[in-house]
Every structure is written in structure tokens, then in C-alpha cells.
Amino acid sequence: MKHIITTTLLFTLPFISLSQEQKPLKIQHAEPLYIDLMRDLGAHKGEAEFNLGFGMANHTNYYEYNGFIEYEWAVADRLGLEVEIPFSFNKGIGTAHSPIPNNKIEGIKIATQYTFMVNEKHQTSMAIGYLHEFEMNSFRDLGRRNQIFEGMKMNPIFVAAKKINNIHTLLYTGPVIQNHFENHHTELFGMVNASVHYVIPNQKHFIGIENNMEIHKGSFHYTMRPQMKLHLAHNFAIGVLTGIPITNNDDIKMDFMTRVIWEP
């Protein structure tokens, strides 16, 4: 009888230890809605998320209707991947005869992100990532040029987030290298996205401000984006935001976007 009990314990103990295996520490940080992350900081393997976005921007001479389809998932603990396809359609305002951009699928974005630090004591997470975008020609130019892509963007990223009770802060920054295939011209500019959100206690809803800043050809551009996110179910949320140019902008007056988020 003793041998039977011993054998049974030896057989079942490995399965007990596997079932009780703890996943890596993950701190819940509020994620900005306009420029979001490739996956939650400290994401666990198997987590995934679908995003659909729709928006409108009021330019000086035309309205831009834009959107995107995005899928992100954690292929391993703390390692996330993302694929996004943005698109835009434009309509002239009144009798203005100024040229407007052609309708197009903006491109194909492929990105990855790895959380290399999660500090429970200081409620801080840090990650590095890389985003590569293949920029597509407009629908009109696809027939005229025998070239699907007009250029590409390369964007190494650093992310740092800290939670102080219900206040969540996040920094997302890095250089952007843009290459134009037709004239072989390369541009370099920097972007800094800093956000602060207040998360409702014992809830996932939040309100906050995302600050999108860009330094390009010696010029500084700053757009402030107040935003709100409502969790309508444990795996379904809707976010809304508006963009308000703070620095002088001769083109965009204001923009608006809504994001639908579903975690299968």
C-alpha cells in the first residue's frame, strides 16, 4: 500500500507544480489611445487584442476620414508583436481648388516590443521596441507607377511607465528614419509621446491626456489629445479622443478618433 501511495505522489507532484506555476509579474498600466503599445507592458504569453479605429481630421482645404485595423498578441511572456493597416480618404472643402492628398491605404506596420524590466516596489515597467512601416502609394498612383510601396519608416522605441496609486504616466519615444524610394531621400526626426491618466478606483475606465510631440527639420510640433476609455465588458472597451494643435499648424485645425478594443 505504501508503494502505491508513493508511486501516486511521484506521478502527480510534477503536474501539481506545473499547475501552480506563477506567471511573470505584470503591472497594469494605462495605455494611451492615439499611439498605443504593441502589447501590454509585461504581457503574458497568449494574450491578444483586436483594435479598430475611425477618425476625422479637419485640414485647411479638406476633410480627412481615416482609420486602421490592428492585431497584437504576446508570442512569449513580455514579448509582443503587432500588425496594423491604416487607411485614409479625403474630401475637399467647399469650392477650394487646392490639391488634396489621394485616397490610400497608408501602409503596413509591423512592430515588436519586449518588456525588460518590471519593478513591483516602484510600480514601474520599461520596454524597448521597433516599428517598421512600409508606406504605400495612393490608389491613383498604383496604376500609374509600377510600384506598390513609396517608402518606409524605421522607428526604434523606448517605453517607460510608472503608476502612483490611480495616476498612470507613460513615456514613449524614439527616432524615426523615413526613406523615400523614388528619390532615395532619407529624413530623420524625433518623436516624444508623454501621457498621464487617472484610472477610476477598482475599475479599468480612465480619463487623461496624451501629448504627441515631434521635432522635424528644426521645427517643433505639439498636439495635445484629451481622451477617455470605457470598459463595457471585461474584454471589450471603447476609447474616444480629440487632437488639439498647441503649436502653430497651418494644416490641421483639429482631429477626432474613436478606438474599439476587443480581447478574444
Side-chain angles (χ1 to χ4, degrees):
M1 187 66 177
K2 288 183 178 180
H3 292 293
I4 295 174
I5 294 172
T6 303
T7 304
T8 304
L9 287 172
L10 289 173
F11 182 76
T12 57
L13 277 174
F15 293 94
I16 295 172
S17 61
L18 283 173
S19 64
Q20 294 176 344
E21 183 180 351
Q22 296 294 318
K23 292 186 177 182
L25 174 65
K26 175 182 175 180
I27 299 171
Q28 295 292 341
H29 296 283
E31 187 176 345
L33 295 174
Y34 186 74
I35 299 183
D36 68 335
L37 305 179
M38 294 75 173
R39 194 64 204 114
D40 292 347
L41 293 172
H44 295 152
K45 181 179 179 180
E47 294 179 343
E49 185 177 287
F50 281 101
N51 282 248
L52 293 175
F54 304 95
M56 187 190 79
N58 183 4
H59 295 258
T60 303
N61 300 314
Y62 65 96
Y63 291 116
E64 176 189 352
Y65 302 94
N66 52 59
F68 61 85
I69 302 171
E70 175 189 298
Y71 179 64
E72 57 186 53
W73 73 102
V75 296
D77 288 334
R78 299 185 177 180
L79 178 63
L81 297 179
E82 177 186 281
V83 177
E84 178 184 338
I85 300 177
F87 54 87
S88 65
F89 299 90
N90 306 289
K91 181 180 179 181
I93 297 176
T95 58
H97 298 290
S98 299
I100 64 174
N102 295 324
N103 301 331
K104 64 185 297 186
I105 295 176
E106 297 290 342
I108 301 173
K109 295 182 180 181
I110 303 172
T112 184
Q113 172 188 292
Y114 176 70
T115 306
F116 64 87
M117 190 200 82
V118 179
N119 189 305
E120 185 175 22
K121 180 180 178 181
H122 298 288
Q123 292 290 283
T124 301
S125 301
M126 294 186 182
I128 53 173
Y130 176 76
L131 187 152
H132 195 102
E133 179 178 3
F134 296 96
E135 299 178 302
M136 298 182 70
N137 277 306
S138 66
F139 297 137
R140 184 180 301 174
D141 290 336
L142 285 176
R144 189 174 58 187
R145 304 176 186 175
N146 296 320
Q147 191 174 13
I148 297 176
F149 300 105
E150 65 175 2
M152 64 180 180
K153 287 181 180 178
M154 296 159 281
N155 180 202
I157 299 160
F158 170 75
V159 181
K162 183 176 179 61
K163 181 168 69 171
I164 307 172
N165 297 323
N166 296 315
I167 303 296
H168 295 235
T169 61
L170 187 141
L171 174 69
Y172 178 111
T173 185
V176 180
I177 303 166
Q178 185 173 25
N179 180 259
H180 303 276
F181 293 157
E182 188 173 4
N183 56 15
H184 304 289
H185 180 63
T186 300
E187 295 182 63
L188 174 66
F189 56 95
M191 60 93 179
V192 178
N193 303 307
S195 61
V196 57
H197 294 89
Y198 175 77
V199 179
I200 307 300
N202 303 318
Q203 302 288 333
K204 292 183 178 180
H205 315 308
F206 69 58
I207 56 173
I209 295 177
E210 181 179 349
N211 302 282
N212 304 130
M213 293 162 279
E214 182 181 297
I215 302 172
H216 187 205
K217 294 181 179 180
S219 299
F220 176 72
H221 304 281
Y222 171 29
T223 302
M224 182 173 64
R225 289 190 162 87
Q227 53 195 250
M228 175 177 64
K229 183 178 180 181
L230 297 174
H231 275 262
L232 306 180
H234 73 280
N235 64 342
F236 183 76
I238 293 179
V240 292
L241 63 119
T242 185
I244 305 170
I246 302 301
T247 55
N248 292 330
N249 192 321
D250 296 330
D251 185 26
I252 298 180
K253 298 179 180 179
M254 183 173 287
D255 62 72
F256 172 83
M257 190 187 85
T258 182
R259 179 187 287 265
V260 180
I261 305 162
W262 175 55
E263 295 181 281

